[in-house]
Amino acid sequence: MNKNYYAVLMAGGVGSRFWPISTSENPKQFHDMLGTGDTLIQKTFQRLNKFVPTENILILTNERYNDLVLEQLPMVKQEQVVLEPAMRNTAPCILYAALKIQKMNEDAVMIVAPSDHWIEDEEAFAKDVTACFKKCESEDVLCTLGIKPSFPNTGFGYIEYNKKDTAPIKKVNQFREKPDYETAKDFLAQGNFLWNAGIFMWSAKTIVNAFQNFQPKQYALFRDGLVCYNTDDEKKFISENYPKAENISIDYAILENSEAIYVKEATFDWNDLGTWGSLYDKLDKDENNNAVVNSKVLVEDASGNMIRSKAGKVVVVDGLNDYIIVDKDEVLLIYPKTKEQDIKQVLNKVKDTFGDEFA
């Protein structure tokens, strides 16, 4: 494997739309959401490990998930787990990780990848990423992978690329916010828009320089810790200074400012597994279009349901169509699939009514 290849696996999110399975104490990336035998973070690590050396994969997560990471990824050493003492969105943690990697290896190129995506063709994924790595090794560019839209989705941001660019990795014109339905339809009709999957590649040097140019205060804050990074003094510096970082995404901080961004259209199937509905879409269905994880199910006059329980539990469903049915310990969720985006609000109501122990 190429010793200059690094990965930053983003594993700090809570995944509240997957409540009640995903909770603030044990979020979705640490669960086997599809019933495959591996959790999402394990699948992501294995996918990256096909072309990135084990010791070059950093896990970026919240302090409270440190033990979960080490338990589920026993091949990882403690120093590979980069802990955020406060939630500050994606820009600060990416800069922090990039400075650590640059200090380890001046020639490093790196991928930043979420821990909760589902990618079936892992060989195609590796080819797409390494193609971007090669470009990042020879040019001062920032690369991203875009997904060809299959329908006018209003839940994703979009990447508009230069229509005249015939290269496999194309110049990005601009990033577009999540559109309304009519705008999304227009994007698809134009033919030069891709879904923003949030998967990025760049050299450590290029992304650090981008922060220096576009986020000088953020850069100065983390640069002051350079002497501490990858030493015993790192934790003290980060615990004192990380909370001072601006809460800002990598999109707003860097990508919307840079003129040197390129996109490669992904050649693999992709699902961001952001909601119960997206999980339903990914799973095999029975003859009544019910998707089942773990449960032993008996259905009558029931179709289009997403059903999940602990392994081996018998679930009987009669007369329900297009519902999310999730049974976990002290919580049972029976909720219309059409209202899945409201689960976040439901979770807040549960907290207010019954307390945080159910959330």
Side-chain angles (χ1 to χ4, degrees), residues 165-214:
D165 196 335
T166 57
I169 304 177
K170 304 178 190 301
K171 184 85 162 57
V172 170
N173 284 349
Q174 60 180 324
F175 288 81
R176 303 291 286 267
E177 297 297 317
K178 295 174 183 176
D180 58 31
Y181 185 69
E182 290 303 316
T183 305
K185 283 204 300 187
D186 183 55
F187 286 171
L188 265 66
Q190 290 185 53
N192 61 322
F193 284 80
L194 301 170
W195 288 338
N196 183 358
I199 302 170
F200 307 110
M201 288 79 38
W202 39 56
S203 71
K205 179 182 177 183
T206 298
I207 191 62
V208 167
N209 287 345
F211 270 97
Q212 190 172 2
N213 291 334
F214 301 121

Tab-separated table of all heavy atoms in Angstrom, residues 165-214:
chain	number	residue	atom	x	y	z
A	165	ASP	N	-16.121	20.732	-19.632
A	165	ASP	CA	-14.954	19.967	-19.176
A	165	ASP	C	-15.149	18.495	-19.528
A	165	ASP	O	-16.090	17.849	-19.059
A	165	ASP	CB	-14.799	20.139	-17.655
A	165	ASP	CG	-13.438	19.708	-17.148
A	165	ASP	OD1	-12.808	18.863	-17.821
A	165	ASP	OD2	-13.010	20.203	-16.099
A	166	THR	N	-14.260	17.965	-20.348
A	166	THR	CA	-14.391	16.567	-20.787
A	166	THR	C	-13.507	15.610	-19.973
A	166	THR	O	-13.555	14.401	-20.192
A	166	THR	CB	-14.023	16.439	-22.277
A	166	THR	OG1	-12.691	16.930	-22.465
A	166	THR	CG2	-14.987	17.237	-23.146
A	167	ALA	N	-12.720	16.139	-19.047
A	167	ALA	CA	-11.851	15.288	-18.224
A	167	ALA	C	-12.700	14.488	-17.236
A	167	ALA	O	-13.799	14.902	-16.866
A	167	ALA	CB	-10.844	16.146	-17.470
A	168	PRO	N	-12.201	13.313	-16.800
A	168	PRO	CA	-12.969	12.518	-15.823
A	168	PRO	C	-13.138	13.228	-14.473
A	168	PRO	O	-14.112	12.993	-13.767
A	168	PRO	CB	-12.161	11.230	-15.684
A	168	PRO	CG	-10.820	11.519	-16.248
A	168	PRO	CD	-10.980	12.616	-17.237
A	169	ILE	N	-12.183	14.072	-14.109
A	169	ILE	CA	-12.286	14.873	-12.883
A	169	ILE	C	-12.473	16.323	-13.315
A	169	ILE	O	-11.561	16.929	-13.885
A	169	ILE	CB	-11.039	14.705	-11.994
A	169	ILE	CG1	-10.818	13.218	-11.668
A	169	ILE	CG2	-11.184	15.505	-10.708
A	169	ILE	CD1	-9.570	12.924	-10.860
A	170	LYS	N	-13.665	16.856	-13.083
A	170	LYS	CA	-14.074	18.126	-13.698
A	170	LYS	C	-14.028	19.299	-12.717
A	170	LYS	O	-14.214	19.131	-11.521
A	170	LYS	CB	-15.497	17.988	-14.244
A	170	LYS	CG	-15.682	16.835	-15.231
A	170	LYS	CD	-17.113	16.726	-15.706
A	170	LYS	CE	-17.336	15.439	-16.495
A	170	LYS	NZ	-16.465	15.356	-17.667
A	171	LYS	N	-13.814	20.476	-13.288
A	171	LYS	CA	-13.802	21.710	-12.490
A	171	LYS	C	-15.202	21.988	-11.949
A	171	LYS	O	-16.192	21.909	-12.667
A	171	LYS	CB	-13.345	22.869	-13.379
A	171	LYS	CG	-13.184	24.190	-12.658
A	171	LYS	CD	-11.819	24.282	-12.024
A	171	LYS	CE	-11.431	25.716	-11.662
A	171	LYS	NZ	-12.343	26.394	-10.776
A	172	VAL	N	-15.252	22.314	-10.666
A	172	VAL	CA	-16.528	22.657	-10.039
A	172	VAL	C	-16.825	24.126	-10.264
A	172	VAL	O	-15.979	24.994	-10.026
A	172	VAL	CB	-16.482	22.354	-8.522
A	172	VAL	CG1	-17.712	22.918	-7.804
A	172	VAL	CG2	-16.376	20.853	-8.277
A	173	ASN	N	-18.050	24.398	-10.734
A	173	ASN	CA	-18.489	25.797	-10.860
A	173	ASN	C	-18.911	26.346	-9.503
A	173	ASN	O	-18.483	27.418	-9.091
A	173	ASN	CB	-19.663	25.917	-11.834
A	173	ASN	CG	-19.220	25.801	-13.284
A	173	ASN	OD1	-18.032	25.828	-13.574
A	173	ASN	ND2	-20.176	25.673	-14.183
A	174	GLN	N	-19.775	25.597	-8.828
A	174	GLN	CA	-20.225	26.035	-7.506
A	174	GLN	C	-20.955	24.911	-6.773
A	174	GLN	O	-21.422	23.962	-7.386
A	174	GLN	CB	-21.147	27.252	-7.620
A	174	GLN	CG	-22.392	27.033	-8.432
A	174	GLN	CD	-23.268	28.277	-8.507
A	174	GLN	OE1	-23.381	29.038	-7.542
A	174	GLN	NE2	-23.869	28.516	-9.653
A	175	PHE	N	-21.006	25.053	-5.455
A	175	PHE	CA	-21.814	24.174	-4.617
A	175	PHE	C	-23.172	24.835	-4.425
A	175	PHE	O	-23.249	26.047	-4.217
A	175	PHE	CB	-21.141	23.943	-3.260
A	175	PHE	CG	-19.939	23.061	-3.329
A	175	PHE	CD1	-18.701	23.563	-3.720
A	175	PHE	CD2	-20.027	21.717	-3.013
A	175	PHE	CE1	-17.589	22.753	-3.798
A	175	PHE	CE2	-18.907	20.891	-3.088
A	175	PHE	CZ	-17.694	21.411	-3.480
A	176	ARG	N	-24.230	24.043	-4.497
A	176	ARG	CA	-25.582	24.582	-4.356
A	176	ARG	C	-26.248	23.985	-3.122
A	176	ARG	O	-26.133	22.786	-2.856
A	176	ARG	CB	-26.414	24.263	-5.611
A	176	ARG	CG	-25.787	24.787	-6.908
A	176	ARG	CD	-25.801	26.308	-6.998
A	176	ARG	NE	-27.153	26.785	-7.278
A	176	ARG	CZ	-27.614	27.021	-8.499
A	176	ARG	NH1	-26.843	26.818	-9.571
A	176	ARG	NH2	-28.841	27.465	-8.673
A	177	GLU	N	-26.956	24.836	-2.397
A	177	GLU	CA	-27.657	24.400	-1.190
A	177	GLU	C	-28.772	23.407	-1.532
A	177	GLU	O	-29.170	23.291	-2.693
A	177	GLU	CB	-28.255	25.616	-0.467
A	177	GLU	CG	-27.229	26.623	0.025
A	177	GLU	CD	-26.285	26.052	1.056
A	177	GLU	OE1	-26.751	25.322	1.955
A	177	GLU	OE2	-25.077	26.322	0.969
A	178	LYS	N	-29.304	22.744	-0.522
A	178	LYS	CA	-30.440	21.833	-0.729
A	178	LYS	C	-31.567	22.616	-1.418
A	178	LYS	O	-32.014	23.633	-0.899
A	178	LYS	CB	-30.935	21.276	0.607
A	178	LYS	CG	-29.915	20.384	1.303
A	178	LYS	CD	-30.397	19.976	2.684
A	178	LYS	CE	-29.341	19.138	3.398
A	178	LYS	NZ	-29.745	18.794	4.779
A	179	PRO	N	-32.020	22.153	-2.581
A	179	PRO	CA	-33.007	22.915	-3.343
A	179	PRO	C	-34.444	22.532	-2.990
A	179	PRO	O	-34.685	21.514	-2.344
A	179	PRO	CB	-32.698	22.491	-4.782
A	179	PRO	CG	-32.249	21.062	-4.637
A	179	PRO	CD	-31.558	20.957	-3.298
A	180	ASP	N	-35.406	23.355	-3.451
A	180	ASP	CA	-36.793	22.893	-3.411
A	180	ASP	C	-37.001	21.944	-4.592
A	180	ASP	O	-36.109	21.758	-5.433
A	180	ASP	CB	-37.784	24.065	-3.450
A	180	ASP	CG	-37.634	24.954	-4.686
A	180	ASP	OD1	-37.247	24.446	-5.769
A	180	ASP	OD2	-37.905	26.158	-4.591
A	181	TYR	N	-38.186	21.336	-4.665
A	181	TYR	CA	-38.412	20.271	-5.644
A	181	TYR	C	-38.267	20.763	-7.085
A	181	TYR	O	-37.632	20.093	-7.912
A	181	TYR	CB	-39.803	19.664	-5.429
A	181	TYR	CG	-40.083	18.474	-6.331
A	181	TYR	CD1	-39.410	17.261	-6.156
A	181	TYR	CD2	-41.012	18.561	-7.370
A	181	TYR	CE1	-39.652	16.173	-6.971
A	181	TYR	CE2	-41.263	17.478	-8.199
A	181	TYR	CZ	-40.587	16.286	-7.991
A	181	TYR	OH	-40.831	15.218	-8.817
A	182	GLU	N	-38.819	21.924	-7.386
A	182	GLU	CA	-38.752	22.447	-8.760
A	182	GLU	C	-37.313	22.752	-9.162
A	182	GLU	O	-36.902	22.484	-10.292
A	182	GLU	CB	-39.638	23.699	-8.902
A	182	GLU	CG	-41.129	23.420	-8.842
A	182	GLU	CD	-41.583	22.413	-9.902
A	182	GLU	OE1	-41.134	22.533	-11.068
A	182	GLU	OE2	-42.366	21.499	-9.554
A	183	THR	N	-36.550	23.307	-8.233
A	183	THR	CA	-35.138	23.603	-8.515
A	183	THR	C	-34.359	22.310	-8.722
A	183	THR	O	-33.512	22.215	-9.618
A	183	THR	CB	-34.518	24.416	-7.359
A	183	THR	OG1	-35.298	25.578	-7.128
A	183	THR	CG2	-33.084	24.824	-7.688
A	184	ALA	N	-34.642	21.305	-7.910
A	184	ALA	CA	-33.973	20.008	-8.056
A	184	ALA	C	-34.279	19.397	-9.424
A	184	ALA	O	-33.386	18.833	-10.074
A	184	ALA	CB	-34.402	19.061	-6.932
A	185	LYS	N	-35.532	19.514	-9.869
A	185	LYS	CA	-35.894	19.010	-11.205
A	185	LYS	C	-35.113	19.750	-12.286
A	185	LYS	O	-34.651	19.147	-13.263
A	185	LYS	CB	-37.400	19.171	-11.446
A	185	LYS	CG	-38.248	18.131	-10.740
A	185	LYS	CD	-39.594	17.914	-11.404
A	185	LYS	CE	-40.430	19.172	-11.447
A	185	LYS	NZ	-41.802	18.923	-11.940
A	186	ASP	N	-34.946	21.047	-12.111
A	186	ASP	CA	-34.185	21.855	-13.067
A	186	ASP	C	-32.718	21.431	-13.087
A	186	ASP	O	-32.096	21.344	-14.158
A	186	ASP	CB	-34.307	23.337	-12.711
A	186	ASP	CG	-33.592	24.239	-13.709
A	186	ASP	OD1	-33.889	24.135	-14.919
A	186	ASP	OD2	-32.732	25.032	-13.281
A	187	PHE	N	-32.152	21.148	-11.919
A	187	PHE	CA	-30.766	20.676	-11.849
A	187	PHE	C	-30.595	19.404	-12.684
A	187	PHE	O	-29.633	19.277	-13.456
A	187	PHE	CB	-30.371	20.380	-10.400
A	187	PHE	CG	-30.141	21.585	-9.526
A	187	PHE	CD1	-29.958	21.445	-8.154
A	187	PHE	CD2	-30.093	22.872	-10.064
A	187	PHE	CE1	-29.735	22.541	-7.347
A	187	PHE	CE2	-29.873	23.979	-9.258
A	187	PHE	CZ	-29.697	23.806	-7.892
A	188	LEU	N	-31.518	18.464	-12.513
A	188	LEU	CA	-31.417	17.202	-13.243
A	188	LEU	C	-31.553	17.417	-14.740
A	188	LEU	O	-30.847	16.785	-15.540
A	188	LEU	CB	-32.478	16.210	-12.755
A	188	LEU	CG	-32.006	15.229	-11.671
A	188	LEU	CD1	-31.670	15.955	-10.373
A	188	LEU	CD2	-33.065	14.163	-11.402
A	189	ALA	N	-32.438	18.336	-15.130
A	189	ALA	CA	-32.642	18.617	-16.557
A	189	ALA	C	-31.391	19.216	-17.182
A	189	ALA	O	-31.078	18.940	-18.352
A	189	ALA	CB	-33.827	19.565	-16.730
A	190	GLN	N	-30.650	20.024	-16.415
A	190	GLN	CA	-29.436	20.648	-16.952
A	190	GLN	C	-28.328	19.626	-17.196
A	190	GLN	O	-27.497	19.807	-18.084
A	190	GLN	CB	-28.942	21.742	-16.002
A	190	GLN	CG	-29.845	22.968	-15.963
A	190	GLN	CD	-29.257	24.069	-15.104
A	190	GLN	OE1	-28.112	24.480	-15.281
A	190	GLN	NE2	-30.039	24.546	-14.145
A	191	GLY	N	-28.286	18.580	-16.376
A	191	GLY	CA	-27.382	17.469	-16.638
A	191	GLY	C	-25.965	17.612	-16.110
A	191	GLY	O	-25.158	16.693	-16.257
A	192	ASN	N	-25.637	18.730	-15.498
A	192	ASN	CA	-24.266	18.911	-14.978
A	192	ASN	C	-24.281	19.166	-13.469
A	192	ASN	O	-23.498	19.947	-12.937
A	192	ASN	CB	-23.540	20.043	-15.701
A	192	ASN	CG	-24.230	21.389	-15.533
A	192	ASN	OD1	-25.458	21.466	-15.535
A	192	ASN	ND2	-23.446	22.450	-15.413
A	193	PHE	N	-25.209	18.475	-12.786
A	193	PHE	CA	-25.313	18.573	-11.334
A	193	PHE	C	-25.195	17.183	-10.720
A	193	PHE	O	-25.775	16.220	-11.227
A	193	PHE	CB	-26.658	19.190	-10.928
A	193	PHE	CG	-26.720	20.678	-11.129
A	193	PHE	CD1	-26.971	21.212	-12.386
A	193	PHE	CD2	-26.529	21.545	-10.062
A	193	PHE	CE1	-27.033	22.583	-12.567
A	193	PHE	CE2	-26.590	22.914	-10.235
A	193	PHE	CZ	-26.842	23.437	-11.494
A	194	LEU	N	-24.452	17.097	-9.614
A	194	LEU	CA	-24.273	15.839	-8.882
A	194	LEU	C	-24.657	16.061	-7.424
A	194	LEU	O	-24.548	17.180	-6.912
A	194	LEU	CB	-22.807	15.377	-8.961
A	194	LEU	CG	-22.227	15.137	-10.354
A	194	LEU	CD1	-20.719	14.926	-10.259
A	194	LEU	CD2	-22.892	13.932	-11.019
A	195	TRP	N	-25.113	15.004	-6.770
A	195	TRP	CA	-25.339	15.093	-5.330
A	195	TRP	C	-24.005	15.220	-4.615
A	195	TRP	O	-23.024	14.567	-4.969
A	195	TRP	CB	-26.041	13.833	-4.820
A	195	TRP	CG	-27.486	13.719	-5.221
A	195	TRP	CD1	-28.326	14.716	-5.589
A	195	TRP	CD2	-28.255	12.511	-5.281
A	195	TRP	NE1	-29.576	14.213	-5.876
A	195	TRP	CE2	-29.561	12.867	-5.692
A	195	TRP	CE3	-27.966	11.163	-5.021
A	195	TRP	CZ2	-30.569	11.927	-5.853
A	195	TRP	CZ3	-28.971	10.227	-5.182
A	195	TRP	CH2	-30.265	10.613	-5.590
A	196	ASN	N	-23.979	16.058	-3.598
A	196	ASN	CA	-22.779	16.232	-2.777
A	196	ASN	C	-22.762	15.147	-1.699
A	196	ASN	O	-23.562	15.167	-0.769
A	196	ASN	CB	-22.787	17.620	-2.145
A	196	ASN	CG	-21.534	17.916	-1.339
A	196	ASN	OD1	-20.660	17.068	-1.206
A	196	ASN	ND2	-21.441	19.112	-0.797
A	197	ALA	N	-21.847	14.186	-1.832
A	197	ALA	CA	-21.788	13.045	-0.907
A	197	ALA	C	-20.950	13.342	0.336
A	197	ALA	O	-20.908	12.520	1.258
A	197	ALA	CB	-21.210	11.824	-1.632
A	198	GLY	N	-20.269	14.482	0.371
A	198	GLY	CA	-19.452	14.802	1.541
A	198	GLY	C	-18.208	13.948	1.674
A	198	GLY	O	-17.728	13.695	2.780
A	199	ILE	N	-17.667	13.487	0.527
A	199	ILE	CA	-16.429	12.699	0.510
A	199	ILE	C	-15.371	13.544	-0.183
A	199	ILE	O	-15.543	13.923	-1.343
A	199	ILE	CB	-16.623	11.366	-0.233
A	199	ILE	CG1	-17.748	10.546	0.407
A	199	ILE	CG2	-15.321	10.563	-0.256
A	199	ILE	CD1	-18.165	9.329	-0.398
A	200	PHE	N	-14.263	13.859	0.511
A	200	PHE	CA	-13.276	14.806	-0.008
A	200	PHE	C	-11.876	14.195	-0.030
A	200	PHE	O	-11.525	13.392	0.824
A	200	PHE	CB	-13.263	16.071	0.858
A	200	PHE	CG	-14.620	16.696	1.032
A	200	PHE	CD1	-15.259	16.647	2.258
A	200	PHE	CD2	-15.272	17.306	-0.030
A	200	PHE	CE1	-16.522	17.212	2.424
A	200	PHE	CE2	-16.520	17.873	0.121
A	200	PHE	CZ	-17.157	17.820	1.354
A	201	MET	N	-11.100	14.607	-1.026
A	201	MET	CA	-9.699	14.211	-1.142
A	201	MET	C	-8.844	15.445	-1.396
A	201	MET	O	-9.234	16.311	-2.184
A	201	MET	CB	-9.496	13.218	-2.308
A	201	MET	CG	-10.044	11.826	-2.084
A	201	MET	SD	-11.814	11.610	-2.315
A	201	MET	CE	-12.243	12.599	-3.683
A	202	TRP	N	-7.672	15.487	-0.776
A	202	TRP	CA	-6.721	16.566	-0.986
A	202	TRP	C	-5.394	16.184	-0.344
A	202	TRP	O	-5.319	15.230	0.429
A	202	TRP	CB	-7.235	17.877	-0.390
A	202	TRP	CG	-7.953	17.748	0.925
A	202	TRP	CD1	-7.494	17.178	2.083
A	202	TRP	CD2	-9.300	18.167	1.211
A	202	TRP	NE1	-8.452	17.231	3.066
A	202	TRP	CE2	-9.570	17.834	2.570
A	202	TRP	CE3	-10.301	18.808	0.475
A	202	TRP	CZ2	-10.786	18.116	3.178
A	202	TRP	CZ3	-11.506	19.088	1.087
A	202	TRP	CH2	-11.745	18.749	2.414
A	203	SER	N	-4.347	16.919	-0.667
A	203	SER	CA	-3.098	16.721	0.066
A	203	SER	C	-3.218	17.476	1.383
A	203	SER	O	-3.947	18.489	1.479
A	203	SER	CB	-1.897	17.226	-0.739
A	203	SER	OG	-1.895	18.638	-0.807
A	204	ALA	N	-2.521	16.993	2.395
A	204	ALA	CA	-2.549	17.681	3.689
A	204	ALA	C	-2.052	19.114	3.530
A	204	ALA	O	-2.622	20.055	4.096
A	204	ALA	CB	-1.688	16.912	4.697
A	205	LYS	N	-1.035	19.284	2.704
A	205	LYS	CA	-0.460	20.617	2.492
A	205	LYS	C	-1.485	21.566	1.875
A	205	LYS	O	-1.626	22.720	2.297
A	205	LYS	CB	0.774	20.489	1.574
A	205	LYS	CG	1.452	21.808	1.266
A	205	LYS	CD	2.619	21.599	0.311
A	205	LYS	CE	3.254	22.946	-0.060
A	205	LYS	NZ	4.347	22.778	-1.053
A	206	THR	N	-2.218	21.091	0.855
A	206	THR	CA	-3.164	21.960	0.144
A	206	THR	C	-4.318	22.389	1.036
A	206	THR	O	-4.724	23.560	1.035
A	206	THR	CB	-3.706	21.253	-1.120
A	206	THR	OG1	-2.618	20.989	-2.005
A	206	THR	CG2	-4.724	22.119	-1.843
A	207	ILE	N	-4.877	21.472	1.830
A	207	ILE	CA	-6.011	21.845	2.675
A	207	ILE	C	-5.565	22.760	3.811
A	207	ILE	O	-6.276	23.706	4.185
A	207	ILE	CB	-6.770	20.600	3.212
A	207	ILE	CG1	-8.097	21.020	3.867
A	207	ILE	CG2	-5.927	19.791	4.168
A	207	ILE	CD1	-9.091	21.686	2.959
A	208	VAL	N	-4.368	22.538	4.350
A	208	VAL	CA	-3.858	23.426	5.402
A	208	VAL	C	-3.642	24.831	4.831
A	208	VAL	O	-4.006	25.837	5.459
A	208	VAL	CB	-2.555	22.860	6.014
A	208	VAL	CG1	-1.853	23.912	6.866
A	208	VAL	CG2	-2.867	21.619	6.853
A	209	ASN	N	-3.087	24.914	3.627
A	209	ASN	CA	-2.901	26.225	2.984
A	209	ASN	C	-4.236	26.916	2.714
A	209	ASN	O	-4.354	28.138	2.817
A	209	ASN	CB	-2.130	26.076	1.676
A	209	ASN	CG	-0.655	25.775	1.898
A	209	ASN	OD1	-0.153	25.950	3.007
A	209	ASN	ND2	0.031	25.310	0.866
A	210	ALA	N	-5.249	26.123	2.359
A	210	ALA	CA	-6.577	26.696	2.110
A	210	ALA	C	-7.140	27.325	3.382
A	210	ALA	O	-7.744	28.400	3.349
A	210	ALA	CB	-7.518	25.621	1.568
A	211	PHE	N	-6.939	26.655	4.515
A	211	PHE	CA	-7.378	27.235	5.786
A	211	PHE	C	-6.605	28.513	6.098
A	211	PHE	O	-7.175	29.494	6.577
A	211	PHE	CB	-7.211	26.225	6.928
A	211	PHE	CG	-8.413	25.353	7.143
A	211	PHE	CD1	-8.475	24.085	6.587
A	211	PHE	CD2	-9.482	25.790	7.907
A	211	PHE	CE1	-9.590	23.274	6.777
A	211	PHE	CE2	-10.597	24.986	8.109
A	211	PHE	CZ	-10.659	23.721	7.539
A	212	GLN	N	-5.321	28.494	5.803
A	212	GLN	CA	-4.502	29.685	6.054
A	212	GLN	C	-5.027	30.872	5.237
A	212	GLN	O	-5.083	32.001	5.732
A	212	GLN	CB	-3.046	29.391	5.683
A	212	GLN	CG	-2.076	30.470	6.138
A	212	GLN	CD	-0.625	30.062	5.943
A	212	GLN	OE1	-0.330	28.975	5.423
A	212	GLN	NE2	0.293	30.915	6.347
A	213	ASN	N	-5.471	30.595	4.007
A	213	ASN	CA	-5.966	31.665	3.129
A	213	ASN	C	-7.375	32.123	3.471
A	213	ASN	O	-7.669	33.321	3.493
A	213	ASN	CB	-5.939	31.196	1.662
A	213	ASN	CG	-4.531	31.030	1.138
A	213	ASN	OD1	-3.606	31.679	1.624
A	213	ASN	ND2	-4.352	30.140	0.175
A	214	PHE	N	-8.281	31.159	3.723
A	214	PHE	CA	-9.703	31.490	3.836
A	214	PHE	C	-10.227	31.542	5.271
A	214	PHE	O	-11.268	32.135	5.526
A	214	PHE	CB	-10.537	30.481	3.033
A	214	PHE	CG	-10.186	30.430	1.573
A	214	PHE	CD1	-9.755	29.246	0.987
A	214	PHE	CD2	-10.262	31.567	0.778
A	214	PHE	CE1	-9.418	29.192	-0.357
A	214	PHE	CE2	-9.936	31.522	-0.566
A	214	PHE	CZ	-9.508	30.335	-1.138
